[in-house]
Amino acid sequence: MRAVLRVLKTPVFNLCYRILMSCNRSTSISGRTPYGMEELKFVHQVLRSSKLSRTVGKMVLIFEKEFAHAYNVAYGVASTSGTSSIHVALGALNLNPGDEVITTPITDMGTIIPILAQNAVPVFADIDDTYNISPAAIESCISERTKAIVTVHTYGNPCDMDGIMALSRRYNLPVVEDCSQAHMTIYKGRLLGSIGDMGCFSLHESKHLTTGDGGMTITNRTTYHNIMRLFVDKGFDRETRAGSPYYFYAPNYRMPELCAAVGIAQLKKVSHVVRRRNHLGTMLSNLLSGTNGVRPAPVTPGASHSYWAYPLYLETIDVNVFVNELKGMAIPAAIHMSTPLYLSAKALSTGRVYGSSRCPFSCARPGIEYRRGDCPKAERLTDHLVTLWLTENWSEDRIRKTAASIKNIVKKLLDNHQ
């Protein structure tokens, strides 16, 4: 009887997983349905093991190894969020208070918080026509205080990594890639995250690969990995435990086993998600090409866009009016991440949202200020960029209808403007 039960266990469990995940199925907030029986199977394994912490379980270790393997790098370190994944990378660089880190102003605050948390100073370099940080602008910001560059592949469109890595070699500056919006995205035959010294990923609900919340930092550098694996765990060396094992100040960013269980299943799906989004985004761009008053999403030469979201540039139309028109037609859209952070984030100011602001964490070198005009190209996006929340769940028919609706709205608003 036991032999029969062992044989039947796997197919019976798989049937139960399939039934449970198909009953009363609903979409996430973003309109996606990313989870299925595969995730439930691994989650069930963790629950049955009664080992939900990475300190006693095995799922996080498996997830780290499989994630690194997927990107053809040596090491992966899991954490609790995209923000923490960047903090882990910067922690490995051993920054000193007042050190400068160059990054883009067009990003989420999660890119900047780790810089501030290390008592370093974010220095914002302007963007180019891809909406990403410009290598020329980076070079103009480099000083004797510069210790790192953090690139952000905004919306899923790769930065000019050839130009950025040339600067890295010329000035001996490590490059941290924020790939939170660009999972499994190709740049000239290589995956983003494997080009710089470290690659950082958000696993938030909205991302191509999601564990609900979570992060991953990858690298080929053993010296960085040795610090990263301790940095996520309070600097605590669980392997030796000799003497005082807390080697340096660090937070607790340990990923739970349940998140890793979901991540292992998601790894098998992410390539399909990215290919699908690239297909749909490219289709939308082709349909909008040549439309008066709008610019389709840019694509970096030699790269493949993964469309975490679709950025649409409006030439003269008011972005607020346009977004309201889209929402009235049930097209998910927003004005999102288009204003430079140094003009919008109170965490970077003394309380004034616009105008001159002062970096609050620059006590080691007081006086650095952010002013309107620091990044002119980035500032121009504020009044022009609209985000469409395209996902892999969209059909080609929905893309065609969305393109037609955009064209009709644009024509109507341009005619009214005249």
Side-chain angles (χ1 to χ4, degrees):
M1 176 62 87
R2 288 184 178 180
V4 173
L5 290 175
R6 280 197 297 270
V7 171
L8 292 176
K9 184 175 72 171
T10 297
V12 168
F13 274 4
N14 284 342
L15 177 61
C16 291
Y17 299 144
R18 184 174 286 108
I19 292 172
L20 286 170
M21 292 306 293
S22 63
C23 292
N24 300 318
R25 189 169 178 81
S26 60
T27 60
S28 65
I29 295 172
S30 61
R32 304 173 66 201
T33 53
Y35 310 119
M37 62 167 285
E38 301 87 357
E39 286 81 3
L40 183 56
K41 177 180 179 180
F42 286 113
V43 167
H44 186 209
Q45 287 180 22
V46 173
L47 291 174
R48 290 175 66 212
S49 75
S50 296
K51 297 175 180 178
L52 273 63
S53 169
R54 77 159 295 162
T55 60
V56 292
K58 62 180 181 180
M59 285 294 183
V60 175
L61 287 171
I62 294 171
F63 185 37
E64 289 172 335
K65 289 178 181 178
E66 292 190 359
F67 197 104
H69 178 74
Y71 281 83
N72 195 30
V73 297
Y75 307 107
V77 173
S79 57
T80 53
S81 68
T83 301
S84 66
S85 74
I86 299 169
H87 197 186
V88 169
L90 295 182
L93 296 180
N94 195 28
L95 299 175
N96 290 313
D99 284 348
E100 294 181 354
V101 177
I102 299 173
T103 191
T104 176
I106 301 298
T107 184
D108 182 85
M109 194 62 189
T111 307
I112 310 304
I113 288 170
I115 301 173
L116 300 177
Q118 289 301 102
N119 282 308
V121 180
V123 174
F124 295 104
D126 210 351
I127 62 172
D128 56 26
D129 291 338
T130 67
Y131 308 151
N132 288 316
I133 193 169
S134 158
I138 292 173
E139 188 164 26
S140 70
C141 292
I142 293 174
S143 73
E144 69 278 2
R145 302 183 187 91
T146 306
K147 300 302 177 184
I149 301 167
V150 177
T151 68
V152 180
H153 305 294
T154 315
Y155 297 108
N157 189 36
C159 298
D160 176 1
M161 289 306 296
D162 282 353
I164 291 170
M165 295 311 296
L167 293 176
S168 171
R169 292 187 292 271
R170 188 179 311 151
Y171 294 96
N172 193 29
L173 292 172
V175 172
V176 175
E177 293 183 74
D178 181 351
C179 306
S180 296
Q181 302 174 11
H183 288 250
M184 283 290 164
T185 305
I186 302 292
Y187 174 84
K188 297 187 177 180
R190 297 181 66 185
L191 285 169
L192 297 182
S194 68
I195 301 172
D197 295 271
M198 286 173 276
C200 307
F201 297 82
S202 167
L203 311 179
H204 177 261
E205 186 84 12
S206 67
K207 301 307 191 289
H208 305 85
L209 186 158
T210 172
T211 61
D213 262 314
M216 185 71 74
T217 311
I218 60 174
T219 187
N220 273 315
R221 298 276 294 273
T222 302
T223 51
Y224 288 157
H225 175 252
N226 289 340
I227 300 174
M228 286 159 51
R229 68 178 181 84
L230 298 177
F231 195 87
V232 297
D233 194 13
K234 303 168 289 186
F236 184 73
D237 190 343
R238 295 180 183 274
E239 293 182 2
T240 64
R241 297 177 182 265
S244 177
Y246 293 97
Y247 286 113
F248 49 79
Y249 173 87
N252 178 356
Y253 285 148
R254 295 194 304 264
M255 173 180 279
E257 288 283 284
L258 289 171
C259 288
V262 174
I264 292 168
Q266 284 277 298
L267 266 173
K268 297 174 175 59
K269 301 179 180 182
V270 63
S271 293
H272 165 75
V273 170
V274 171
R275 285 194 300 270
R276 180 66 179 170
R277 288 196 180 207
N278 173 262
H279 171 71
L280 295 173
T282 302
M283 182 180 177
L284 182 59
S285 290
N286 290 337
L287 290 169
L288 293 176
S289 180
T291 302
N292 185 35
V294 299
R295 299 180 199 170
V299 179
T300 301
S304 178
H305 204 307
S306 55
Y307 296 102
W308 171 72
Y310 189 99
L312 188 67
Y313 190 97
L314 306 179
E315 302 272 356
T316 58
I317 295 168
D318 184 277
V319 290
N320 293 289
V321 173
F322 186 78
V323 166
N324 287 334
E325 291 277 350
L326 289 176
K327 289 182 177 178
M329 304 186 75
I331 298 173
I335 300 168
H336 176 75
M337 215 175 62
S338 58
T339 300
L341 283 174
Y342 61 82
L343 294 180
S344 60
K346 290 184 179 180
L348 293 173
S349 72
T350 56
R352 289 171 292 172
V353 178
Y354 293 100
S356 173
S357 61
R358 194 177 293 271
C359 177
F361 285 80
S362 58
C363 56
R365 185 170 60 80
I368 185 169
E369 293 186 356
Y370 305 121
R371 295 186 177 90
R372 183 174 293 279
D374 284 353
C375 300
K377 287 185 178 179
E379 290 174 21
R380 281 197 289 273
L381 288 185
T382 303
D383 298 322
H384 295 278
L385 209 61
V386 168
T387 300
L388 305 178
W389 298 116
L390 176 152
T391 82
E392 68 277 6
N393 282 19
W394 286 28
S395 65
E396 291 187 358
D397 186 56
R398 185 174 182 181
I399 290 290
R400 282 188 284 269
K401 288 178 179 177
T402 298
S405 296
I406 289 171
K407 290 179 180 181
N408 290 335
I409 294 169
V410 168
K411 185 177 186 305
K412 182 181 78 172
L413 294 178
L414 287 177
D415 289 345
N416 291 343
H417 182 70
Q418 293 174 351

